[in-house]
Amino acid sequence: MNRRQFLGSTVALLASPPALRPSFAQEGPFRTKYFPISPGIGLHDLAPAPDGTVWFTAQGKGMLGRLDPKDGNFKTVSLGQGAAPHGVTIGPDGAPWITEGGQNAIARVDPADLKVTLFRLPEKFASANLNTGVFDKAGTYWFTGQSGYYGRLAPKSGEMTVFKAPKGVGPYGIAVTPKGDIWYASLAGSYIAKLDLATGNATVVEPPAPNQGSRRVWSDSKSRIWVSEWNSGHVSVHDPADGSWKTWKLPGERPRAYAVYVDDKDKVWLTDFSSNAIVRFDPATEKFTSFPSDRTNANVRQLDGRPGELWGCESGNDRVVMIQTIA
């Protein structure tokens, strides 16, 4: 992860000029809409907020941003000197929580005044390379570090525990299930793992294909774990209830599945770098629907959503994209 130079302004309000106003295209029962952000800002991950706005990480400039989809305007806040944020999720307190790899800390930004609070990892884990985080049902924040770590933070007390991951480097995506379980994926380790919420121990579960490159994970309504496989170009699902696996290859000759998200209808959304598209998979029909970007090199690195809306960050074009269900 590259470390970025600190920007002098702590908080900047940026109104989108006419050239950067949202654009949209029609696609049958779906509508795709693009929200341009500042060129070179380095978009990475995002999280829709309950108030209708969307928070995003700007790794290239060490910032967190908040987009208002109503008019395309956005605000940004610097996370500190050397910041290089990766993941963002909305906590039980309604605030965005960020895996801030540049300062090796978990960051919280107050939605009201944009004040940044840092919870730093212990010095002995200085090179954790923080990736993504999620809250369990008890309000504990769990996070991954691609250098071979995962950990947990108790927000109220600030107590943090960091664990060494099985098989070393690789922990990447992380998810919580409706049952309250926490799972993470290891890109370099090519496995997924369930965390024991009491002890923090990780139980490794191996997907059927070796070296598949499990990158991100998400849970459906049945607490099954969906996995985007970067190396194999497959999407797979693991059912912890019976230990079963199912796997499907994304369309195209050499797909590269990066992100995965399961919507409120249990439809599975993925990003495919090879086809420059967001892809929707219907487990009931086992059919894929592709939504190619209208620009090359979109490189959508993460997906999230709310009922009727899918959201992603085009890191290659520094645009936020929404696919809206209209029928």
Side-chain angles (χ1 to χ4, degrees):
M1 180 182 294
N2 294 328
R3 304 306 180 223
R4 306 297 181 181
Q5 186 176 7
F6 174 63
L7 298 183
S9 174
T10 302
V11 180
L13 173 61
L14 302 176
S16 303
L20 296 182
R21 285 175 184 163
S23 60
F24 64 90
Q26 197 76 21
E27 289 144 356
F30 302 96
R31 181 174 68 174
T32 301
K33 194 171 185 177
Y34 299 98
F35 300 87
I37 312 297
S38 301
I41 202 168
L43 292 182
H44 208 287
D45 282 20
L46 52 65
D51 65 358
T53 61
V54 179
W55 293 92
F56 58 84
T57 56
Q59 195 174 87
K61 297 295 184 182
M63 292 178 162
L64 181 75
R66 178 167 55 187
L67 168 71
D68 186 348
K70 293 179 181 178
D71 55 16
N73 289 337
F74 56 90
K75 294 180 180 179
T76 58
V77 56
S78 173
L79 296 174
Q81 187 170 3
H86 192 120
V88 57
T89 192
I90 307 300
D93 57 356
W97 290 74
I98 305 99
T99 40
E100 210 304 87
Q103 300 172 91
N104 202 41
I106 306 303
R108 177 190 184 273
V109 174
D110 190 300
D113 60 11
L114 301 184
K115 178 183 177 181
V116 179
T117 302
L118 296 178
F119 300 85
R120 298 184 185 275
L121 272 66
E123 284 295 325
K124 63 179 179 179
F125 303 112
S127 58
N129 193 3
L130 295 171
N131 277 68
T132 55
V134 71
F135 283 88
D136 66 20
K137 291 191 174 182
T140 299
Y141 179 82
W142 295 83
F143 58 89
T144 58
Q146 201 174 356
S147 294
Y149 304 99
Y150 63 91
R152 64 186 176 197
L153 168 68
K156 292 183 178 179
S157 66
E159 180 182 359
M160 181 182 292
T161 307
V162 181
F163 305 89
K164 290 186 177 180
K167 301 187 178 183
V169 298
Y172 206 99
I174 194 167
V176 60
T177 73
K179 291 183 178 180
D181 296 326
I182 301 291
W183 290 77
Y184 77 83
S186 175
L187 175 59
S190 285
Y191 68 84
I192 63 173
K194 179 183 177 182
L195 299 181
D196 185 311
L197 303 188
T199 66
N201 293 336
T203 299
V204 171
V205 178
E206 302 276 1
N211 303 314
Q212 79 294 131
S214 300
R215 189 152 203 161
R216 300 225 186 198
V217 285
W218 208 279
S219 174
D220 64 17
S221 64
K222 299 177 182 178
S223 292
R224 297 180 302 180
I225 309 303
W226 289 85
V227 187
S228 57
E229 299 179 359
W230 176 251
N231 296 339
S232 69
H234 288 70
V235 57
S236 60
V237 60
H238 170 61
D239 190 345
D242 59 14
S244 65
W245 283 90
K246 291 183 179 179
T247 303
W248 300 264
K249 183 181 178 181
L250 271 66
E253 295 183 2
R254 297 180 180 178
R256 301 284 270 180
Y258 194 114
V260 62
Y261 166 74
V262 184
D263 66 22
D264 60 308
K265 304 297 183 183
D266 274 348
K267 308 307 180 186
V268 184
W269 297 80
L270 304 114
T271 61
D272 178 14
F273 276 32
S274 179
S275 66
N276 195 44
I278 293 173
V279 179
R280 180 179 183 266
F281 176 68
D282 187 339
T285 63
E286 300 187 347
K287 292 183 179 180
F288 289 92
T289 303
S290 183
F291 299 84
S293 176
D294 64 349
R295 294 184 184 177
T296 59
N297 302 315
N299 295 347
V300 179
R301 298 182 181 275
Q302 192 255 0
L303 295 173
D304 203 340
R306 47 190 166 217
E309 295 178 356
L310 174 82
W311 290 87
C313 281
E314 286 193 351
S315 62
N317 297 319
D318 284 319
R319 296 188 302 176
V320 173
V321 56
M322 177 188 70
I323 300 178
Q324 187 176 43
T325 303
I326 59 175

